[in-house]
Amino acid sequence: MSNHYEREGMKNYLVYDVGDEESAMEINMLLHCRPDWLPVPELRVLDGEYKLYYLVSGMKPFSIQCTEKKFNESELKLLLKGACEVIQDAEEYLLNPDDIVINPNYMFVAPTISRLKFLYFPGYGVALSEQVFVYVEKLMSYADTVDNETASLIYNLHNDICSEGPGLELLLRYANGEYEDRLGIGNAGIYSLPKSEPLLVAEPDIGSLYVSESRITSVIKGAKSILKPKKVKRLSAVEGIKLISLDGAYPDIYPGKSCIIGRYPETSDYAIDRPEISRLHARLFVKGEELFIEDLGSKNGVYINDKRLQKNKVIRLSEDDDVCIGGAWFRVQKG
């Protein structure tokens, strides 16, 4: 993904290299029916290459806003509602949800957080569930957790996402304040998660971007800091359920209450170092004596006994089921 800022007279643009003509046709649809959350787009052809110009004059990157203040409960709800509206509109506007960029560096305040602007990059291709997970972890660092109500919302949300996955219904519940304080933060006083040092996870072509009316900085291709996922208790092989590696190439998986499977140990409970594995690929979780698996919007999918599981769908696993996660094969065993 290649992008940069350009200034033309008094106007500032974020420019994205669209690529092929097929993607350009997708952008043309947006030009004729632009959703409210999208900055004004303009498609240009320069030297035979399609480029998408987003007008961002007078807008401040959300990542800059986050360095200037901490957000309270009401403001966090607005931020969640903004993301929910974008996700809901994706289907209505026939957009690929994985090409919507839910990243503070590419979100703009115009002029307040109640009117957030999001970008759409054809070919971006980062699973929406993965983006939402990281977005919520970012919000944890931006929240005013000294306030009990704010802390209750964001920590309970993070806890539920780790156990249930980052679904739209869950986000809407929290955006509307319809959630249960399972962690008891509101009654028990200030709550704090185990402290951990921020980790740098490489993200191609995404960096800290800043634009103002008088000055435009260059795009810094960098890395983003995210928090370590919450640690979960693992069941031992004697106590519960596990997945064994069929070829012995990987350690057995002990799901415990919930286990995120992905490519990097920094963002997963169980990491599989294969190019076919998405950063957040799948989630295993146990209810009662039953084991379930969910595809977290992975690119290369999850297969149960050679049948592909639909993205963001949950299925119950049975003993001796063969599970393929991005090319890595496991078998379910109980007891």
Side-chain angles (χ1 to χ4, degrees), residues 19 26 41 44 52 68 110 122 124 148 156 168 175 225 228 247 268:
E26 189 176 2
R44 302 183 188 181
L52 179 60
E68 299 174 351
Y124 181 59
N148 278 16
N156 277 284
L168 176 60
S225 296
K228 287 184 178 178
D247 60 4
S268 310

Side-chain angles (χ1 to χ4, degrees), residues 5-139:
Y5 281 105
E6 286 188 13
R7 183 179 180 87
E8 295 181 354
M10 298 299 294
K11 295 182 178 180
N12 293 329
Y13 294 92
L14 189 148
V15 184
Y16 173 71
D17 292 335
V18 174
D20 55 25
E21 188 173 356
E22 182 178 349
S23 297
M25 293 174 62
E26 189 176 2
I27 292 300
N28 270 320
M29 294 176 58
L30 284 179
L31 297 178
H32 292 93
C33 52
R34 178 174 65 90
D36 291 338
W37 47 264
L38 190 74
V40 176
E42 180 182 346
L43 186 63
R44 302 183 188 181
V45 183
L46 303 174
D47 298 325
E49 296 183 357
Y50 292 92
K51 296 183 181 294
L52 179 60
Y53 280 65
Y54 280 116
L55 180 63
V56 294
S57 295
M59 301 182 193
K60 179 186 295 185
F62 180 56
S63 57
I64 300 298
Q65 175 91 351
C66 295
T67 64
E68 299 174 351
K69 64 167 294 180
K70 293 286 187 179
F71 298 106
N72 60 32
E73 181 196 24
S74 297
E75 291 168 328
L76 285 179
K77 289 178 181 178
L78 288 174
L79 294 172
L80 292 173
K81 283 181 180 179
C84 288
E85 289 174 2
V86 174
I87 296 170
Q88 290 173 314
D89 281 352
E91 182 175 354
E92 179 181 346
Y93 288 92
L94 302 178
L95 301 175
N96 180 354
D98 295 344
D99 290 344
I100 296 171
V101 186
I102 302 181
N103 180 314
N105 290 327
Y106 290 92
M107 294 161 54
F108 292 85
V109 179
T112 67
I113 60 171
S114 63
R115 294 178 57 84
L116 278 178
K117 298 293 185 181
F118 296 78
L119 300 183
Y120 184 76
F121 289 162
Y124 181 59
V126 178
L128 186 62
S129 58
E130 183 178 330
Q131 294 192 67
V132 170
F133 189 94
V134 174
Y135 178 56
V136 169
E137 291 206 322
K138 290 272 190 184
L139 291 182

